[in-house]
Amino acid sequence: MNPVKVGLLGLGTVGGGTLNVLTRNADEIARRAGRGIQITHAAAKAYDPSKLSGLDKVEISDDAFAVVDNPEIEIIIELIGGYSPARELVLKAIENGKHVVTANKALIAMHGNEIFAAAQKHGVMVAFEAAVAGGIPIIKAVREGLAANRIEWIAGIINGTGNFILTEMRDKGREFSDVLKEAQALGYAEADPTFDVEGIDAAHKLTILGSIAFGIPLQFEKTYTEGITKIEPQDVEYANDFGYRIKHLGVTRMTDKGIEMRVHPTMIPHRRLIANVDGVMNAVLVNGDAVGPTLYYGAGAGSEPTASAVTADVVDVVRALTTDSENRVPHLAFQPGELVDLPILPIEEVESAYYLRMQVEDKPGVVARIATILADSQISIEAIHQKEPAEGDSTVPLVMITQTVVEKRLNDALAAIEQLESVSGQIMRIRIERLDG
Amino acid sequence: MNPVKVGLLGLGTVGGGTLNVLTRNADEIARRAGRGIQITHAAAKAYDPSKLSGLDKVEISDDAFAVVDNPEIEIIIELIGGYSPARELVLKAIENGKHVVTANKALIAMHGNEIFAAAQKHGVMVAFEAAVAGGIPIIKAVREGLAANRIEWIAGIINGTGNFILTEMRDKGREFSDVLKEAQALGYAEADPTFDVEGIDAAHKLTILGSIAFGIPLQFEKTYTEGITKIEPQDVEYANDFGYRIKHLGVTRMTDKGIEMRVHPTMIPHRRLIANVDGVMNAVLVNGDAVGPTLYYGAGAGSEPTASAVTADVVDVVRALTTDSENRVPHLAFQPGELVDLPILPIEEVESAYYLRMQVEDKPGVVARIATILADSQISIEAIHQKEPAEGDSTVPLVMITQTVVEKRLNDALAAIEQLESVSGQIMRIRIERLDG
């Protein structure tokens, strides 16, 4: 089957990331979607070819309306941002019978009701996972994954810039204005940071979350919005004294009187998982009556994280176009004919760092002998501690952390160490995962 | 349109929860799914009617095969567990052209390849969100939400019993066997805890995660499995000294040599979010090449959390049967005609606890006057601290935390306090959310 032809509006941070992800992971994505996905046309006023891959297959113009009107194209990805001409482009694409994927939170929050009605009328899909919390599939989680629940409330850290600023203020006792300048230098905050620090960006996202949680029309103008500009370092410190952290939260809650929709600085008990979401990361906590609290964490902005959500939406659309409706999502994520028989490694071939604990005689030379055996097996020690003996015990626990080693080599070395007279019993071992990428 | 008729196999913890959720949230679920969902038949050897709602509409028998053969039923929910007769029932349901939803991790990990091939052949769906991490929509996240990514690795706390035991060992320095007994008494662990503490349950789940991450057939027998029974309190303590926490992780990773699939106790740096997932809660950390790390947290077991995932799968099936394929999932989660115009509360009507900071003169009677104004407005103070004055300053910061109050009442009281001569400038206020249910 021919690849699905996609038109991309915008080749900036997210547009470029989307082209790059669709190019780099083309095979894997096609195995999942059941059909290739090709960006054939793109519209951009300016772009940097050195940051883009797969450009040879893309016809680029500066006329976004020409892309939207191109009859070959089945799906339009709108990544221009802002209200206009994004609204006109999206409505035109819908009118032309094209499916639309967008990351534009302002557009959906302000004009979503109109856009969805048009999509309904023309029988096309409009997908907007990337509009809320970047790469975190939170729209899918609420709209599908939690469909059994009466949602009680949602609370989210849904603006990375604001969270970066608050994290720096707490970690280093810095002033708001000082951190804001750094965030701008790092590219986390725009030259005009109003949308981020005054909560407008978060309010756009919260408006969308509130609608999908409670089944109400989008009403951005009723969302209460308060920024973080007035937070002083002493508030951060005093909050800490009370056992709280300050986060810029979007909160929407169903009450007997009506629905709360509000974005403002919020103190949260420091032991809550979401209170420990730091830096530019986002997290959304959803409380459902059946499932209880669930939390979704990840990068809320950035080129490829946002592209991840955009591309997932494109895959959703293609799956609906491609597979029979009763098998839209393949059981094992990849289409049945696309499973591969990669080897699964025996545990002896897995590499890991290790914690080791052994009971050794408390006398000179023992540690040296053990260290020599490890060194001979080229196993590096990162840390080693000899603990206090238990009362009346002539042996002591010796604990250490190794650097990464293949398991088989460790097994052989530990077998040799267990043979030593000065080592009693079996050596306890626990694998270490740093989970840092 | 008539409700979709569903047959339920099993009325135990999860089966009962599913019936209760589908009964309690029937309206909300129908507004999302586009059609009512009715359990019309159930099979159970024994059940406790006092714990079940909606039984009046359910015909109950002890013959599960009769339910599977009933021509009126479109969807079968299998919640019996175990390999047999679950396998035979599911295969028969598929052969009869019925869609299947199951929470049975053992069945999918062991017989999934056979079951999915049969489903493919008969054009029906088999959904199994509840088989991994209970109420957390992790299958959906990996299979759909992260479809753009080359998944690099997944690491998950996917057995709540094991995590409860390790959390208690750390928090209270207790012995494994001692905590296990408590977990059994609390109903977290089975009388035969082997599946939980030896990692077999986690290995079933990891097998499924590995397949959907990497597009490989299910291969439970190749998953390395090691339990937590050998962990000593001193290991927990020494891990802590090194800056780590011990968690029972399922890890699957793509390497150049092949795929790692392993369940074992693992030390993780204590600052990682997943290291702070405690008690019976589950969390899965997924690293994709585009999105980076994302984490999914929630209840991994229990009656209604698991029922939440089962029911979401049923909604997925019904949405595919009901809506035109191009609009399977409604834009705003609820079907377009089912949006409601609930009021959105003005911020003055929202209730919240508050942190307040004001600058006051450091002399007798000031705090009393402020407290009186708050008391007259029926605003209770939970904590109050007077801080040290800055050098050469005759005023001091007074900070307090109030109990919950409606915002309008607080506004009025603060306006009165700001009028006091002994209070200078504006009062800083930050709302407090405890996020505890």
Side-chain angles (χ1 to χ4, degrees):
Chain A
M1 205 182 289
N2 286 335
V4 178
K5 291 185 177 170
V6 178
L8 177 62
L9 312 183
L11 273 173
T13 304
V14 180
T18 302
L19 178 61
N20 290 344
V21 168
L22 277 168
T23 303
R24 185 178 72 233
N25 292 346
D27 287 352
E28 191 127 359
I29 291 168
R31 285 173 58 210
R32 290 196 178 99
R35 198 168 158 196
I37 296 169
Q38 181 60 52
I39 292 178
T40 56
H41 296 77
K45 298 282 183 214
Y47 59 98
D48 180 351
S50 71
K51 291 185 177 165
L52 301 172
S53 55
L55 275 182
D56 52 311
K57 295 185 180 167
V58 188
E59 197 181 311
I60 302 182
S61 78
D62 61 0
D63 183 355
F65 281 95
V67 175
V68 161
D69 285 334
N70 188 319
E72 284 178 36
I73 291 171
E74 290 186 67
I75 301 170
I76 292 290
I77 303 178
E78 185 277 304
L79 299 174
I80 295 176
Y83 301 122
S84 182
R87 173 176 162 274
E88 293 74 18
L89 286 163
V90 164
L91 288 172
K92 195 70 201 293
I94 291 169
E95 196 186 310
N96 290 340
K98 298 183 198 315
H99 306 288
V100 174
V101 172
T102 178
N104 191 332
K105 56 222 73 167
L107 180 71
I108 297 297
M110 286 293 280
H111 301 296
N113 298 325
E114 175 189 20
I115 288 167
F116 300 148
Q120 194 70 17
K121 183 176 156 196
H122 291 278
V124 297
M125 285 173 269
V126 174
F128 52 96
E129 179 64 76
V132 181
I136 308 172
I138 185 65
I139 301 286
K140 191 175 282 289
V142 175
R143 215 164 59 167
E144 304 173 44
L146 303 181
N149 291 265
R150 196 166 46 76
I151 304 290
E152 294 172 341
W153 51 263
I154 295 180
I157 297 171
I158 47 182
N159 181 278
T161 309
N163 202 42
F164 172 79
I165 292 173
L166 290 174
T167 302
E168 286 290 301
M169 287 178 73
R170 178 172 62 78
D171 282 358
K172 298 171 191 159
R174 295 170 68 187
E175 297 270 352
F176 170 82
S177 56
D178 174 36
V179 185
L180 174 59
K181 275 184 208 129
E182 186 194 340
Q184 288 171 318
L186 286 170
Y188 294 158
E190 306 288 329
D192 176 359
T194 311
F195 266 47
D196 289 326
V197 300
E198 295 296 356
I200 301 164
D201 173 76
H204 284 142
K205 296 166 180 167
L206 185 72
T207 299
I208 299 171
L209 287 175
S211 276
I212 64 172
F214 303 120
I216 55 173
L218 295 153
Q219 295 159 80
F220 171 68
E221 70 286 358
K222 292 188 186 164
T223 298
Y224 173 77
T225 307
E226 182 184 320
I228 56 171
T229 55
K230 290 180 193 157
I231 306 283
E232 302 274 350
Q234 54 183 322
D235 295 315
V236 176
E237 182 193 331
Y238 299 157
N240 199 51
D241 294 346
F242 281 120
Y244 290 90
R245 299 264 166 89
I246 301 177
K247 292 291 179 188
H248 200 192
L249 283 196
V251 177
T252 180
R253 185 192 302 267
M254 172 77 86
T255 76
D256 294 342
K257 296 184 290 179
I259 290 166
E260 299 175 6
M261 297 271 275
R262 46 196 172 92
V263 171
H264 52 69
T266 314
M267 279 170 37
I268 331 173
H270 74 280
R271 287 204 56 160
R272 298 267 177 277
L273 212 54
I274 196 170
N276 295 284
V277 170
D278 287 332
V280 295
M281 301 305 276
N282 279 200
V284 182
L285 181 55
V286 184
N287 208 63
D289 71 334
V291 75
T294 56
L295 180 132
Y296 309 83
Y297 162 93
S303 174
E304 292 211 355
T306 311
S308 168
V310 168
T311 306
D313 273 348
V314 176
V315 171
D316 268 0
V317 173
V318 173
R319 277 174 168 164
L321 299 179
T322 305
T323 51
D324 57 305
S325 69
E326 291 181 348
N327 277 288
R328 199 187 61 94
V329 180
H331 290 109
L332 293 178
F334 295 76
Q335 301 291 330
E338 296 288 353
L339 297 183
V340 291
D341 215 359
L342 291 170
I344 296 187
L345 292 180
I347 194 71
E348 291 75 20
E349 293 181 29
V350 170
E351 289 190 356
S352 181
Y354 284 86
Y355 157 95
L356 304 173
R357 173 174 57 80
M358 53 197 85
Q359 200 68 17
V360 303
E361 283 177 32
D362 187 12
K363 63 181 190 188
V366 172
V367 173
R369 242 168 296 159
I370 292 167
T372 303
I373 293 176
L374 291 171
D376 288 349
S377 304
Q378 293 174 293
I379 298 168
S380 302
I381 299 169
E382 191 179 295
I384 184 163
H385 291 160
Q386 186 166 311
K387 302 286 178 180
E388 293 298 309
E391 215 173 66
D393 198 339
S394 68
T395 67
V396 294
L398 182 70
V399 295
M400 62 184 82
I401 286 182
T402 74
Q403 292 191 345
T404 301
V405 52
V406 72
E407 177 140 339
K408 182 166 186 339
R409 187 129 45 86
L410 185 85
N411 288 344
D412 294 345
L414 295 193
I417 292 170
E418 283 175 348
Q419 295 300 316
L420 295 176
E421 263 183 38
S422 45
V423 174
S424 48
Q426 275 208 316
I427 298 171
M428 177 69 186
R429 59 163 94 179
I430 301 176
R431 294 174 191 83
I432 296 173
E433 294 286 338
R434 299 219 160 74
L435 303 178
D436 53 359
Chain B
M1 204 182 291
N2 286 334
V4 178
K5 292 183 177 171
V6 178
L8 177 62
L9 312 183
L11 273 173
T13 305
V14 180
T18 301
L19 177 61
N20 290 344
V21 168
L22 277 168
T23 303
R24 186 177 71 232
N25 292 345
D27 287 352
E28 191 127 359
I29 291 168
R31 285 173 57 209
R32 289 196 178 100
R35 198 168 158 196
I37 295 169
Q38 181 60 52
I39 293 178
T40 56
H41 295 76
K45 298 283 182 212
Y47 60 98
D48 181 351
S50 72
K51 291 186 177 165
L52 300 172
S53 55
L55 275 182
D56 52 311
K57 296 187 179 166
V58 187
E59 197 180 315
I60 302 182
S61 78
D62 62 358
D63 183 354
F65 280 95
V67 174
V68 160
D69 284 334
N70 187 317
E72 284 179 33
I73 291 170
E74 291 186 67
I75 301 170
I76 291 289
I77 303 178
E78 184 278 303
L79 299 173
I80 295 176
Y83 301 122
S84 183
R87 172 176 163 272
E88 293 75 17
L89 285 163
V90 164
L91 289 172
K92 194 71 201 297
I94 291 169
E95 197 187 309
N96 290 340
K98 299 184 197 313
H99 307 287
V100 174
V101 172
T102 178
N104 191 331
K105 56 223 73 165
L107 179 71
I108 297 297
M110 285 294 280
H111 301 296
N113 299 324
E114 176 190 19
I115 288 167
F116 299 149
Q120 193 70 19
K121 184 177 155 196
H122 291 277
V124 298
M125 284 173 270
V126 174
F128 52 95
E129 180 65 76
V132 181
I136 308 172
I138 186 64
I139 301 285
K140 191 174 283 290
V142 175
R143 214 163 60 165
E144 304 174 44
L146 303 182
N149 291 265
R150 195 165 47 77
I151 305 289
E152 294 171 343
W153 51 263
I154 295 179
I157 297 171
I158 46 181
N159 180 278
T161 309
N163 202 42
F164 171 79
I165 293 173
L166 290 174
T167 302
E168 286 290 302
M169 287 179 73
R170 177 171 62 79
D171 283 357
K172 299 169 190 160
R174 294 169 69 187
E175 296 270 351
F176 169 82
S177 55
D178 174 36
V179 185
L180 174 59
K181 274 184 209 129
E182 186 194 340
Q184 288 171 318
L186 286 169
Y188 294 159
E190 306 288 330
D192 176 359
T194 312
F195 265 47
D196 289 325
V197 301
E198 295 296 357
I200 300 164
D201 173 75
H204 284 141
K205 295 166 180 168
L206 184 72
T207 299
I208 298 171
L209 287 175
S211 276
I212 65 172
F214 303 120
I216 55 175
L218 295 153
Q219 295 158 80
F220 171 68
E221 70 286 358
K222 293 188 185 163
T223 298
Y224 173 78
T225 307
E226 182 184 321
I228 54 171
T229 55
K230 290 179 192 156
I231 307 282
E232 302 275 349
Q234 54 182 322
D235 295 315
V236 175
E237 181 193 330
Y238 299 157
N240 200 52
D241 295 345
F242 281 121
Y244 290 90
R245 299 263 167 90
I246 301 177
K247 293 290 179 189
H248 200 191
L249 284 195
V251 178
T252 179
R253 184 192 303 266
M254 172 77 88
T255 76
D256 294 341
K257 295 185 292 179
I259 290 166
E260 298 175 7
M261 297 271 275
R262 47 196 172 91
V263 171
H264 51 70
T266 313
M267 280 171 35
I268 330 174
H270 73 279
R271 289 204 54 162
R272 298 268 176 277
L273 212 55
I274 195 171
N276 295 285
V277 170
D278 288 332
V280 295
M281 301 305 276
N282 280 200
V284 182
L285 181 56
V286 185
N287 208 63
D289 70 334
V291 75
T294 56
L295 180 132
Y296 309 84
Y297 162 93
S303 174
E304 291 212 355
T306 310
S308 169
V310 168
T311 306
D313 273 348
V314 176
V315 171
D316 267 0
V317 172
V318 173
R319 278 174 167 164
L321 298 178
T322 304
T323 52
D324 56 306
S325 69
E326 290 179 349
N327 277 289
R328 200 187 59 94
V329 180
H331 290 110
L332 292 178
F334 295 77
Q335 300 292 329
E338 295 287 354
L339 296 183
V340 291
D341 214 0
L342 291 169
I344 296 187
L345 292 181
I347 194 73
E348 291 75 20
E349 293 181 29
V350 170
E351 289 188 358
S352 180
Y354 284 86
Y355 157 94
L356 304 173
R357 172 174 58 80
M358 52 197 85
Q359 200 68 17
V360 303
E361 282 177 33
D362 188 10
K363 63 182 187 188
V366 173
V367 172
R369 242 167 296 159
I370 293 167
T372 303
I373 293 177
L374 292 170
D376 288 347
S377 305
Q378 292 173 293
I379 297 168
S380 302
I381 299 169
E382 190 179 295
I384 184 161
H385 290 160
Q386 185 167 310
K387 302 286 179 181
E388 292 300 310
E391 215 174 67
D393 199 340
S394 68
T395 67
V396 293
L398 181 71
V399 295
M400 62 185 82
I401 285 181
T402 73
Q403 291 190 347
T404 301
V405 52
V406 71
E407 176 139 339
K408 183 167 185 339
R409 186 130 45 88
L410 186 85
N411 288 344
D412 294 344
L414 296 192
I417 292 171
E418 283 175 348
Q419 295 300 315
L420 295 176
E421 264 184 38
S422 46
V423 174
S424 48
Q426 275 208 315
I427 298 171
M428 177 70 186
R429 58 164 91 181
I430 302 176
R431 294 175 191 82
I432 296 174
E433 293 285 338
R434 299 221 159 74
L435 302 178
D436 54 359

